[in-house]
Amino acid sequence: MALTSSVKDHPYSHLIETLEGSSLKYFNPQKLNDPRYDELPLSIRILLEAAVRKCDGFYVKQEDVEKILDWRQQQDDAEVPFHPARVLLQDFTGIPAMVDLAAMRDAMARHGVDPCLVNPGCPTDLIVDHSLQVDFSKCAIQNTPNPGGGDGLTPGLTPSQTPGRPLSSRPPSRAGSQCSAGQRGGGCTKAGCSDSPSPAGGAPAPVQQIENTPLLCPFHLQPVSEPETAVKNQEMELVRNKERLQFFKWCSRTFQKVNVVPPDVGAVHQVNLEYLSRVVQEDQGFLYPDSVVGTDSHTTMVNGLGILGWGVGGIESEAVMLGQPVAMTLPQVVGCRLVGTISTLTTSIDIVLAITKHLRQAGIAGRFVEFFGPGVSQLSAPDRTTIANMSPEYNATVSFFPIDHVTLKHFTHTNFSQEKLEVFEAYLKAVKLYRSYEDLTEDPQYSEVIEVNLSSIAPQVSGPKRAQDRVAVSHMKEDFHKCLGDKVGFKGFHVSVERQEAKVPFLHCGQEYQLAHGSLVIAAVISCTNNCNPSVMLTAGLLAKKAVEAGLSVKPYIRTSLAPGSGMVTHYLNTSGVLPYLSQLGFEVIGYGCATCVGNKAPLPEAVVNAIKQGDLVACGVLSGNRHFEGRLYDCVRANYLASPPLVVAYAIAGTVGIDFEKEPLGVTAEGKEVYLRDVWPSREEVQHIEENIVISSIFTELRTRAQKGNTFWNNLECPDSLVFPWDPKSTYIRSPSFFTKLSKEAPPPRSIDHAHVLLFLGDKVTTDHISPAGSIARASTAAKYLLSKRLTPREFNSYGARRGNDVVMTRGTFSSVKLHNRLIGKPGPKTLHVPSGQTLDVFEAAERYQREGIPLIVLAGKEYGSGNSRDWAAKGPYLLGVRAVIAQSFEKMHKNHLVGMGILPLQFLPGQTADTLELSGKEKFTICLPEELEPQQQLTVTTNVGNSFCVTALFESEMDVAFFRHGGLLRYVARTML
């Protein structure tokens, strides 16, 4: 409880009450006897309760409590602190956070300070879920399991040329002769063959895995035993990431209040929903609302359960872990009133996309959204979490569903006893954080109200390049054909009319197929957004069941996969009897964690890639996630659509997005019978019946058991036993970063930026995917050159996400996206112009040369710089490249906060001004004068060596932002508080 020395000394001790029938205490803001409390949105009441409880006169003052209470007048103006109840980390963003804390311990030790002072003061959960890769899948063309993604095909041999057995309907569990020691002089275990590769000639023969066949031993060309794809992928994950896992285990043992959930338990947002969420926290005899900040972009899902939470970067999460509050501007709260009745064919994904469109058009960036109205009661708790997950897509901080009877009923299935739930309900009602959506008298006051009629929502998909571009399924065929002819843009590919009907034949497994514009080559139900929602997953499973029974199938060259959010999903899909049918269509469980959507995927069959390139086709991918940027999965897949899981299955069966489901059959059976989507789409009553009978407490009990027991590999994993981490200088995974070098006890005065060059001249909507390293490490990249210099082979490169604990790799991967459009060179790619020499270089090589020359750097950009996923390396990378400032038309708020947190100056052009209107070429030298006393939203003057001068706004939201910048970033600020 971070109270002062005693409860009596607390400035709000008079608000403490004892819960009736219990010895538990709580702070009751209602005892302030202020009528403004009843008018506050319930999300703001949570901020108020935290401010009251945490009021210590230093981080949180009584005037902060008054500001929150006066929300109607102070919104969008007053700065307030917020202490969340806990911090949530996933391993991709969690490892740099933990590496930074380990490095901070080193810095304390160098200054003669006890390193144990560097310890999370806020409970922190780290879930290892982002290291899974798809090494094995239905039609994965595999060599020996390859941690680096190296080539595994026999030279000159394409998949379509490889002899193989005829295609047939695949049973849910593959069987066949097992490779044994007696067959080829050795044995094959489920982890891979233990034989030494010793064919004639002394070199291992490359092995090609044929689609629709069992996984093969790479040396014996026989099926390995127990060839389940999930088991194989999980084993590869553990072996590939052993060094990182050892570091995580050291963190769990060394740092206080750090809980590490080992791999193979579930995706971070699923574990957060099913295992970590508490609704009401209890600590030292006090009750208070659960709340969370997390480094995962799906943290906002918990708002669907009435738990206030949002995503932050690794650097902000570290500050909260170390006891710092989140500094925030008191937000406006938009009330979203839901009315009407949900139609039969509408899924929660359709509702998500409809609400996303409404809220995006309303321009609610940086605001809270709180749902109310009679329509809310029709949404299940999983429906609400699915909707809440989309907050980042319309730039809202949270989408909050206050707790009601539906929420508490949901928690009866998540291992909470009835007695505990009764305590929760009594507390929530006592502090007015529980509501009835049908009672209009309970409706609070909002900054603005937006109404959504659920009756008007029809099935939708999003694409072909952006999540916000929604297309009604009934208009999908027409829209895609229009996109083909439109000029290149967010909705266009500029394919000439005479080429729009192009078809390219190709051989695959000895059979001829055709690809055309709109042909599907990847269909994935991934562990994002909707896998927490039983209704949509069960709809997909029932659709698969009905389709298989009707005689339909999926073409074998389409890359299909199913990566559930957790074992819970597999459990209810299996128990309901639909998992075998999903598997028969190719949607096999490939493992648990983020895989396809973060770029961890097996390559497309070579014959498919060649056909796409030969016809210059607009091939398509359909995923059931919440974001899918152009080229994120494969460079050759240009049209990307987001859809609900049942529609992913439907489009996979159809084999194209160019289909009108109402007028055209989904497929034709072997007997020639046409089967339409309406023939196999399950009714809402079917889905709800199975959901009620499958999603039961045993499902959540299983997850809890898995999380607590861990697995044999994790339990037997050894780790160092020391207060400071023993860095291995030879390691290419874990490396002490340079953020604390030359750390002085006092912050130096701000330095002006003199004669800076432009590292990159960028346009609009530069995402964190463009900035931050992600996905596999390209062989020709500067990061690859570094790894090769460490005597690693391409097989051992792993991914950028796995190497986020190595600042050398991550710095070299910053701005390395092949989709990055840099106006200094005029074409996409990870290149830039070194202005003094006129040479075109890799971005890292140019930055390195500028640093040797002592030249500071800036970035010029357009609108919405830094949109997309929250990634701290999108700020850390530019900082280590030497970028001192970014001048843009506008910033995504979270990324702007990350820049401030790393000591990079976010500057915004004045309204009506852009780099173009100011006639900037990007080749000038820029000087930015900084006064000794910086202030929030202060205007600064920028001058160039060619005589231009213009003003920009320093986007500091608070005095805390200014303090972070003066100290050279949040990490150095926190470190200095301990010196």
Side-chain angles (χ1 to χ4, degrees):
M1 280 298 299
L3 298 173
T4 48
S5 56
S6 72
V7 170
K8 291 182 179 179
D9 296 331
H10 196 285
Y12 290 102
S13 59
H14 61 288
L15 302 185
I16 297 176
E17 287 189 349
T18 302
L19 192 67
E20 185 176 352
S22 170
S23 61
L24 296 170
K25 300 181 183 298
Y26 63 96
F27 285 86
N28 190 353
Q30 285 201 92
K31 292 185 68 176
L32 291 168
N33 297 319
D34 194 312
R36 292 176 295 179
Y37 182 75
D38 290 342
E39 297 179 350
L40 293 177
L42 276 71
S43 52
I44 300 299
R45 295 180 198 180
I46 293 176
L47 298 182
L48 179 65
E49 188 282 337
V52 167
R53 176 169 41 89
K54 288 287 190 176
C55 187
D56 58 3
F58 180 66
Y59 287 122
V60 184
K61 302 177 182 178
Q62 287 181 272
E63 48 262 42
D64 294 318
V65 173
E66 175 58 32
K67 288 177 183 177
I68 300 174
L69 195 58
D70 193 32
W71 169 80
R72 291 296 303 277
Q73 303 301 320
Q74 299 289 335
Q75 59 181 297
D76 214 22
D77 184 31
E79 177 197 345
V80 296
F82 174 56
H83 282 278
R86 54 192 174 93
V87 175
L88 182 72
L89 305 175
Q90 45 95 335
D91 56 320
F92 266 22
T93 48
I95 192 166
M98 302 310 295
V99 164
D100 290 345
L101 292 187
M104 195 181 295
R105 280 200 166 194
D106 293 345
M108 295 302 102
R110 288 195 298 268
H111 281 271
V113 178
D114 184 1
C116 290
L117 291 176
V118 181
N119 231 351
C122 182
T124 301
D125 296 294
L126 192 155
I127 294 87
V128 183
D129 79 319
H130 271 52
S131 54
L132 180 68
Q133 289 187 197
V134 184
D135 291 292
F136 302 97
S137 69
K138 178 202 74 168
C139 55
I141 301 172
Q142 296 291 103
N143 195 345
T144 308
N146 184 350
D151 294 334
L153 299 179
T154 304
L157 189 64
T158 68
S160 58
Q161 295 170 324
T162 305
R165 67 182 186 186
L167 295 173
S168 61
S169 296
R170 302 173 62 253
S173 179
R174 290 171 292 188
S177 60
Q178 303 296 316
C179 181
S180 64
Q183 287 177 301
R184 302 280 181 106
C188 299
T189 69
K190 69 176 183 178
C193 179
S194 59
D195 280 6
S196 300
S198 54
V207 177
Q208 181 158 336
Q209 176 66 41
I210 311 303
E211 287 85 345
N212 286 327
T213 63
L215 297 173
L216 299 182
C217 161
F219 306 121
H220 296 163
L221 302 184
Q222 293 293 323
V224 298
S225 59
E226 296 186 32
E228 294 85 350
T229 55
V231 172
K232 299 294 295 180
N233 284 313
Q234 290 155 12
E235 288 175 347
M236 285 301 302
E237 174 189 7
L238 297 175
V239 173
R240 176 187 288 118
N241 296 286
K242 180 178 179 180
E243 189 176 344
R244 297 168 62 245
L245 295 176
Q246 287 176 320
F247 176 73
F248 285 142
K249 196 163 187 177
W250 175 83
C251 292
S252 68
R253 290 184 176 180
T254 305
F255 291 116
Q256 298 175 12
K257 297 186 178 181
V258 171
N259 170 48
V260 176
V261 178
D264 194 26
V265 172
V268 56
H269 46 285
Q270 288 297 134
V271 176
N272 189 26
L273 287 172
E274 301 162 13
Y275 178 60
L276 302 175
S277 295
R278 293 290 178 268
V279 188
V280 176
Q281 293 278 359
E282 179 184 337
D283 186 27
Q284 298 182 29
F286 276 82
L287 297 173
Y288 55 97
D290 191 11
S291 58
V292 61
V293 293
T295 59
D296 184 68
S297 61
H298 304 291
T299 302
T300 53
M301 294 185 86
V302 295
N303 290 280
L305 301 178
I307 298 168
L308 190 64
W310 61 86
V312 297
I315 46 185
E316 291 120 322
S317 67
E318 292 169 47
V320 175
M321 289 162 61
L322 294 171
Q324 305 283 320
V326 175
M328 60 186 299
T329 301
L330 198 59
Q332 294 185 13
V333 182
V334 175
C336 186
R337 181 192 290 120
L338 301 184
V339 298
T341 304
I342 303 172
S343 65
T344 302
L345 295 181
T346 301
T347 70
S348 60
I349 306 304
D350 301 317
I351 298 172
V352 167
L353 296 174
I355 292 174
T356 297
K357 179 180 179 180
H358 279 282
L359 297 179
R360 182 181 290 276
Q361 291 175 341
I364 57 170
R367 304 186 195 180
F368 281 15
V369 175
E370 187 167 302
F371 289 85
F372 73 111
V376 177
S377 298
Q378 300 175 57
L379 303 177
S380 67
D383 288 338
R384 299 176 189 186
T385 58
T386 307
I387 294 168
N389 182 65
M390 291 297 282
S391 297
E393 296 305 321
Y394 43 83
N395 291 324
T397 305
V398 302
S399 295
F400 187 73
F401 287 83
I403 294 170
D404 67 343
H405 70 282
V406 173
T407 317
L408 292 183
K409 183 180 179 181
H410 169 76
F411 277 104
T412 63
H413 300 301
T414 60
N415 302 312
F416 284 109
S417 66
Q418 187 61 40
E419 180 183 4
K420 179 72 73 174
L421 290 175
E422 288 174 358
V423 171
F424 290 172
E425 184 174 354
Y427 166 71
L428 293 168
K429 288 182 175 179
V431 295
K432 290 196 172 180
L433 290 175
Y434 181 97
R435 68 157 304 168
S436 170
Y437 288 103
E438 290 77 12
D439 188 349
L440 301 183
T441 64
E442 293 185 12
D443 290 350
Q445 298 295 311
Y446 294 108
S447 309
E448 178 186 350
V449 172
I450 298 173
E451 184 171 288
V452 177
N453 189 337
L454 299 176
S455 304
S456 65
I457 300 174
Q460 306 274 338
V461 297
S462 287
K465 300 181 182 181
R466 301 188 302 175
Q468 62 263 40
D469 296 325
R470 299 168 63 234
V471 184
V473 173
S474 58
H475 298 152
M476 178 65 165
K477 181 176 181 178
E478 175 187 348
D479 185 82
F480 178 75
H481 284 294
K482 183 177 183 300
C483 289
L484 282 180
D486 285 351
K487 65 180 182 179
V488 174
F490 294 128
K491 291 279 290 181
F493 299 99
H494 197 56
V495 177
S496 61
V497 175
E498 59 272 15
R499 290 180 46 241
Q500 291 183 16
E501 301 301 322
K503 291 180 172 58
V504 180
F506 68 98
L507 287 177
H508 181 77
C509 293
Q511 205 165 340
E512 184 173 306
Y513 298 91
Q514 281 189 338
L515 287 183
H517 294 293
S519 291
L520 211 69
V521 294
I522 180 168
V525 177
I526 60 179
S527 59
C528 293
T529 308
N530 43 56
N531 288 339
C532 68
N533 193 311
S535 65
V536 292
M537 292 300 293
L538 288 172
T539 301
L542 288 170
L543 174 63
K545 179 177 183 293
K546 289 173 177 284
V548 170
E549 290 173 344
L552 301 181
S553 61
V554 175
K555 293 180 177 66
Y557 61 80
I558 297 176
R559 175 76 70 233
T560 50
S561 62
L562 169 60
S566 74
M568 181 201 77
V569 183
T570 303
H571 182 92
Y572 68 65
L573 289 177
N574 190 48
T575 306
S576 64
V578 299
L579 190 59
Y581 297 96
L582 285 165
S583 179
Q584 192 163 337
L585 291 180
F587 292 94
E588 294 180 328
V589 176
I590 57 92
Y592 303 101
C594 290
T596 304
C597 58
V598 294
N600 298 340
K601 75 285 180 188
L604 292 173
E606 187 175 345
V608 171
V609 175
N610 291 340
I612 293 172
K613 292 180 178 179
Q614 178 184 335
D616 194 20
L617 300 176
V618 180
C620 299
V622 180
L623 276 73
S624 63
N626 75 326
R627 59 181 71 230
H628 185 1
F629 298 112
E630 180 185 11
R632 189 171 190 175
L633 300 181
Y634 301 102
D635 289 343
C636 63
V637 181
R638 289 189 277 167
N640 306 297
Y641 289 92
L642 306 179
S644 64
L647 284 176
V648 171
V649 175
Y651 279 113
I653 295 170
T656 178
V657 299
I659 180 174
D660 184 336
F661 286 128
E662 192 64 34
K663 300 177 181 178
E664 300 176 61
L666 189 65
V668 180
T669 67
E671 293 77 24
K673 180 183 177 182
E674 294 183 341
V675 180
Y676 289 80
L677 180 60
R678 57 179 174 269
D679 298 328
V680 294
W681 189 279
S683 69
R684 192 174 183 83
E685 290 73 25
E686 283 181 273
V687 175
Q688 288 179 340
H689 174 75
I690 293 180
E691 182 178 3
E692 290 170 359
N693 287 276
I694 298 303
V695 184
I696 55 177
S697 59
S698 62
I699 297 172
F700 299 95
T701 301
E702 180 187 2
L703 175 67
R704 184 180 294 272
T705 301
R706 290 175 61 159
Q708 293 174 346
K709 287 180 61 178
N711 55 62
T712 303
F713 183 94
W714 174 264
N715 295 337
N716 294 336
L717 191 65
E718 296 182 355
C719 69
D721 183 16
S722 56
L723 295 179
V724 294
F725 187 72
W727 308 98
D728 181 357
K730 297 180 180 179
S731 174
T732 56
Y733 278 99
I734 309 294
R735 187 178 183 274
S736 182
S738 58
F739 301 132
F740 302 102
T741 56
K742 300 180 181 179
L743 177 69
S744 59
K745 289 188 176 183
E746 300 295 332
R751 295 182 295 112
S752 293
I753 302 173
D754 297 320
H755 309 298
H757 272 298
V758 174
L759 179 63
L760 294 159
F761 189 0
L762 306 172
D764 296 340
K765 296 186 180 298
V766 173
T767 71
T768 51
D769 273 12
H770 294 116
I771 306 169
S772 179
S776 59
I777 299 174
R779 293 190 178 192
S781 66
T782 52
K785 294 175 185 176
Y786 165 78
L787 294 174
L788 289 171
S789 74
K790 297 296 181 180
R791 298 186 177 181
L792 297 184
T793 67
R795 292 173 180 270
E796 300 168 310
F797 284 176
N798 211 323
S799 65
Y800 281 113
R803 295 191 182 275
R804 282 192 180 187
N806 186 324
D807 61 313
V808 173
V809 172
M810 297 302 286
T811 304
R812 284 163 168 76
T814 302
F815 293 117
S816 63
S817 169
V818 295
K819 298 295 182 181
L820 185 70
H821 286 262
N822 180 9
R823 294 173 62 178
L824 288 178
I825 60 172
K827 60 182 179 180
K831 301 285 185 179
T832 194
L833 179 69
H834 179 256
V835 177
S837 67
Q839 288 182 284
T840 297
L841 303 171
D842 287 328
V843 173
F844 172 78
E845 292 173 345
E848 189 177 40
R849 183 179 294 189
Y850 279 124
Q851 288 193 27
R852 288 198 304 266
E853 296 165 346
I855 298 174
L857 298 172
I858 66 171
V859 171
L860 294 178
K863 300 175 183 177
E864 298 183 39
Y865 179 79
S867 58
N869 292 28
S870 166
R871 290 179 177 167
D872 57 337
W873 270 105
K876 288 180 176 178
Y879 170 82
L880 292 175
L881 288 174
V883 174
R884 295 281 307 281
V886 177
I887 307 176
Q889 287 178 254
S890 65
F891 292 82
E892 196 278 331
K893 182 178 180 180
M894 187 176 296
H895 181 64
K896 185 266 298 178
N897 292 340
H898 292 178
L899 293 176
V900 173
M902 285 309 303
I904 296 176
L905 189 59
L907 301 174
Q908 188 171 28
F909 289 111
L910 296 184
Q913 292 187 345
T914 67
D916 290 332
T917 63
L918 295 169
E919 298 182 348
L920 301 177
S921 68
K923 299 179 181 180
E924 304 90 344
K925 293 182 180 179
F926 293 78
T927 295
I928 305 169
C929 296
L930 301 181
E932 288 190 13
E933 298 298 328
L934 282 169
E935 298 177 358
Q937 299 296 319
Q938 186 173 1
Q939 284 197 5
L940 303 176
T941 301
V942 181
T943 59
T944 71
N945 64 322
V946 296
N948 286 352
S949 178
F950 57 95
C951 291
V952 291
T953 302
L955 296 185
F956 298 129
E957 292 186 5
S958 63
E959 292 295 339
M960 186 65 74
D961 279 356
V962 174
F964 290 162
F965 177 75
R966 288 178 60 88
H967 280 265
L970 186 149
L971 292 175
R972 297 171 78 87
Y973 171 84
V974 172
R976 285 194 176 101
T977 63
M978 303 180 195
L979 295 180

